[in-house]
Short mmCIF file of all heavy atoms in Angstrom, two decimals:
data_model
loop_
_atom_site.label_atom_id
_atom_site.label_comp_id
_atom_site.label_asym_id
_atom_site.label_seq_id
_atom_site.Cartn_x
_atom_site.Cartn_y
_atom_site.Cartn_z
N GLU A 170 131.17 -71.92 47.80
CA GLU A 170 131.32 -72.37 46.42
C GLU A 170 130.49 -71.50 45.48
O GLU A 170 129.48 -70.92 45.88
CB GLU A 170 130.86 -73.83 46.26
CG GLU A 170 131.59 -74.84 47.12
CD GLU A 170 130.81 -75.19 48.36
OE1 GLU A 170 130.00 -74.36 48.83
OE2 GLU A 170 130.98 -76.31 48.87
N SER A 171 130.92 -71.47 44.22
CA SER A 171 130.16 -70.83 43.17
C SER A 171 130.55 -71.45 41.83
O SER A 171 131.54 -72.17 41.74
CB SER A 171 130.39 -69.31 43.15
OG SER A 171 131.75 -69.02 42.90
N GLY A 172 129.77 -71.16 40.79
CA GLY A 172 130.11 -71.59 39.45
C GLY A 172 129.31 -72.75 38.90
O GLY A 172 129.48 -73.10 37.73
N GLY A 173 128.46 -73.35 39.71
CA GLY A 173 127.64 -74.44 39.22
C GLY A 173 126.57 -73.96 38.26
O GLY A 173 126.30 -72.77 38.12
N GLY A 174 125.94 -74.92 37.58
CA GLY A 174 124.89 -74.58 36.65
C GLY A 174 124.57 -75.74 35.73
O GLY A 174 124.96 -76.89 35.97
N VAL A 176 124.84 -77.49 32.02
CA VAL A 176 125.74 -77.55 30.88
C VAL A 176 125.42 -78.79 30.06
O VAL A 176 124.96 -79.80 30.60
CB VAL A 176 127.22 -77.54 31.33
CG1 VAL A 176 127.56 -78.79 32.12
CG2 VAL A 176 128.16 -77.37 30.16
N GLY A 180 130.49 -80.30 27.47
CA GLY A 180 130.82 -78.93 27.83
C GLY A 180 131.73 -78.83 29.03
O GLY A 180 132.19 -79.84 29.57
N SER A 181 131.98 -77.60 29.46
CA SER A 181 132.91 -77.32 30.55
C SER A 181 132.29 -76.37 31.56
O SER A 181 131.45 -75.54 31.23
CB SER A 181 134.20 -76.70 30.02
OG SER A 181 134.90 -77.57 29.16
N LEU A 182 132.72 -76.51 32.81
CA LEU A 182 132.41 -75.59 33.88
C LEU A 182 133.63 -75.42 34.75
O LEU A 182 134.46 -76.33 34.86
CB LEU A 182 131.25 -76.10 34.75
CG LEU A 182 129.82 -75.94 34.26
CD1 LEU A 182 128.87 -76.62 35.25
CD2 LEU A 182 129.45 -74.47 34.11
N ARG A 183 133.73 -74.26 35.41
CA ARG A 183 134.79 -74.00 36.36
C ARG A 183 134.16 -73.61 37.69
O ARG A 183 133.52 -72.56 37.79
CB ARG A 183 135.72 -72.89 35.86
CG ARG A 183 136.94 -72.63 36.76
CD ARG A 183 137.88 -71.63 36.11
NE ARG A 183 139.01 -71.26 36.93
CZ ARG A 183 140.16 -71.93 36.98
NH1 ARG A 183 140.32 -73.03 36.23
NH2 ARG A 183 141.16 -71.52 37.75
N LEU A 184 134.33 -74.45 38.69
CA LEU A 184 133.82 -74.18 40.03
C LEU A 184 134.86 -73.42 40.83
O LEU A 184 136.07 -73.67 40.70
CB LEU A 184 133.47 -75.47 40.75
CG LEU A 184 132.48 -76.41 40.05
CD1 LEU A 184 132.18 -77.61 40.95
CD2 LEU A 184 131.20 -75.68 39.69
N SER A 185 134.40 -72.51 41.70
CA SER A 185 135.27 -71.75 42.56
C SER A 185 134.86 -71.94 44.01
O SER A 185 133.68 -72.15 44.31
CB SER A 185 135.22 -70.26 42.21
OG SER A 185 135.67 -70.03 40.90
N CYS A 186 135.83 -71.83 44.91
CA CYS A 186 135.59 -71.90 46.35
C CYS A 186 136.43 -70.81 47.01
O CYS A 186 137.65 -70.81 46.85
CB CYS A 186 135.96 -73.26 46.90
SG CYS A 186 135.88 -73.41 48.70
N TRP A 200 137.60 -81.36 46.56
CA TRP A 200 136.26 -81.29 46.01
C TRP A 200 135.59 -82.65 46.19
O TRP A 200 136.18 -83.67 45.83
CB TRP A 200 136.25 -80.91 44.54
CG TRP A 200 136.57 -79.47 44.28
CD1 TRP A 200 137.76 -78.95 43.90
CD2 TRP A 200 135.66 -78.37 44.38
NE1 TRP A 200 137.68 -77.59 43.75
CE2 TRP A 200 136.39 -77.20 44.04
CE3 TRP A 200 134.31 -78.25 44.72
CZ2 TRP A 200 135.80 -75.93 44.03
CZ3 TRP A 200 133.74 -76.98 44.71
CH2 TRP A 200 134.49 -75.85 44.38
N THR A 232 140.53 -80.79 36.72
CA THR A 232 141.78 -80.28 37.27
C THR A 232 141.48 -79.44 38.51
O THR A 232 140.69 -78.51 38.43
CB THR A 232 142.55 -79.44 36.26
OG1 THR A 232 142.80 -80.20 35.08
CG2 THR A 232 143.88 -78.98 36.84
N ILE A 233 142.13 -79.78 39.63
CA ILE A 233 141.99 -79.01 40.86
C ILE A 233 143.20 -78.07 40.98
O ILE A 233 144.32 -78.44 40.63
CB ILE A 233 141.88 -79.94 42.09
CG1 ILE A 233 141.55 -79.14 43.36
CG2 ILE A 233 143.12 -80.78 42.28
CD1 ILE A 233 141.23 -80.01 44.57
N SER A 234 142.96 -76.87 41.48
CA SER A 234 144.03 -75.91 41.67
C SER A 234 143.68 -74.98 42.81
O SER A 234 142.53 -74.91 43.24
CB SER A 234 144.32 -75.11 40.39
OG SER A 234 143.18 -74.40 39.97
N ARG A 235 144.67 -74.25 43.31
CA ARG A 235 144.47 -73.30 44.40
C ARG A 235 145.48 -72.17 44.27
O ARG A 235 146.46 -72.28 43.53
CB ARG A 235 144.63 -73.97 45.76
CG ARG A 235 146.00 -74.61 45.96
CD ARG A 235 146.32 -74.86 47.42
NE ARG A 235 147.58 -75.58 47.58
CZ ARG A 235 148.77 -74.99 47.58
NH1 ARG A 235 148.88 -73.68 47.39
NH2 ARG A 235 149.87 -75.73 47.76
N ASN A 236 145.26 -71.09 45.01
CA ASN A 236 146.26 -70.05 45.08
C ASN A 236 147.22 -70.35 46.23
O ASN A 236 147.01 -71.25 47.04
CB ASN A 236 145.63 -68.67 45.19
CG ASN A 236 144.86 -68.45 46.49
OD1 ASN A 236 144.78 -69.31 47.35
ND2 ASN A 236 144.28 -67.26 46.61
N ALA A 241 141.64 -69.56 47.85
CA ALA A 241 140.79 -69.83 46.70
C ALA A 241 141.11 -71.21 46.15
O ALA A 241 142.28 -71.59 46.03
CB ALA A 241 140.98 -68.78 45.61
N LEU A 242 140.09 -71.95 45.82
CA LEU A 242 140.18 -73.29 45.25
C LEU A 242 139.32 -73.34 44.01
O LEU A 242 138.22 -72.78 44.00
CB LEU A 242 139.71 -74.33 46.28
CG LEU A 242 139.74 -75.80 45.87
CD1 LEU A 242 141.17 -76.32 45.86
CD2 LEU A 242 138.88 -76.62 46.83
N TRP A 243 139.80 -74.03 42.97
CA TRP A 243 139.05 -74.17 41.73
C TRP A 243 138.97 -75.62 41.29
O TRP A 243 139.82 -76.44 41.62
CB TRP A 243 139.70 -73.36 40.61
CG TRP A 243 139.73 -71.89 40.86
CD1 TRP A 243 138.74 -71.00 40.63
CD2 TRP A 243 140.84 -71.15 41.39
NE1 TRP A 243 139.15 -69.74 40.97
CE2 TRP A 243 140.44 -69.81 41.44
CE3 TRP A 243 142.13 -71.49 41.82
CZ2 TRP A 243 141.27 -68.79 41.91
CZ3 TRP A 243 142.96 -70.49 42.30
CH2 TRP A 243 142.53 -69.16 42.32
N LEU A 244 137.94 -75.93 40.54
CA LEU A 244 137.82 -77.22 39.87
C LEU A 244 137.41 -76.96 38.43
O LEU A 244 136.27 -76.55 38.17
CB LEU A 244 136.80 -78.13 40.56
CG LEU A 244 136.70 -79.55 39.99
CD1 LEU A 244 137.98 -80.33 40.27
CD2 LEU A 244 135.50 -80.29 40.56
N GLN A 245 138.34 -77.16 37.50
CA GLN A 245 138.06 -77.05 36.08
C GLN A 245 137.53 -78.39 35.60
O GLN A 245 138.22 -79.40 35.71
CB GLN A 245 139.31 -76.67 35.30
CG GLN A 245 139.10 -76.56 33.80
CD GLN A 245 138.18 -75.44 33.41
OE1 GLN A 245 138.32 -74.33 33.90
NE2 GLN A 245 137.21 -75.73 32.55
N MET A 246 136.31 -78.40 35.06
CA MET A 246 135.66 -79.62 34.62
C MET A 246 135.44 -79.55 33.11
O MET A 246 134.71 -78.69 32.63
CB MET A 246 134.33 -79.81 35.35
CG MET A 246 134.45 -79.81 36.86
SD MET A 246 132.88 -80.19 37.70
CE MET A 246 131.92 -78.75 37.21
N ASN A 247 136.09 -80.45 32.37
CA ASN A 247 135.98 -80.50 30.93
C ASN A 247 135.35 -81.82 30.50
O ASN A 247 135.36 -82.81 31.24
CB ASN A 247 137.36 -80.37 30.28
CG ASN A 247 138.02 -79.05 30.56
OD1 ASN A 247 137.35 -78.02 30.68
ND2 ASN A 247 139.34 -79.05 30.64
N LEU A 249 132.29 -82.81 30.17
CA LEU A 249 131.34 -83.24 31.19
C LEU A 249 130.36 -84.29 30.66
O LEU A 249 129.96 -84.25 29.49
CB LEU A 249 130.57 -82.04 31.74
CG LEU A 249 131.38 -81.20 32.73
CD1 LEU A 249 130.78 -79.81 32.86
CD2 LEU A 249 131.43 -81.90 34.09
N THR A 278 127.31 -76.55 45.49
CA THR A 278 126.80 -75.91 44.28
C THR A 278 126.37 -77.00 43.30
O THR A 278 127.07 -77.99 43.11
CB THR A 278 127.84 -74.95 43.66
OG1 THR A 278 127.27 -74.25 42.56
CG2 THR A 278 129.09 -75.70 43.20
N VAL A 280 125.65 -78.94 39.94
CA VAL A 280 126.10 -79.10 38.56
C VAL A 280 125.17 -80.10 37.88
O VAL A 280 125.01 -81.22 38.35
CB VAL A 280 127.55 -79.59 38.48
CG1 VAL A 280 127.93 -79.93 37.04
CG2 VAL A 280 128.49 -78.55 39.05
#
Side-chain angles (χ1 to χ4, degrees):
E170 302 99 333
S171 62
V176 65
S181 297
L182 281 176
R183 185 173 176 87
L184 304 183
S185 298
C186 174
W200 286 99
T232 303
I233 188 172
S234 60
R235 59 161 175 82
N236 65 1
L242 180 74
W243 297 277
L244 185 68
Q245 179 66 47
M246 304 185 295
N247 297 327
L249 283 160
T278 186
V280 172

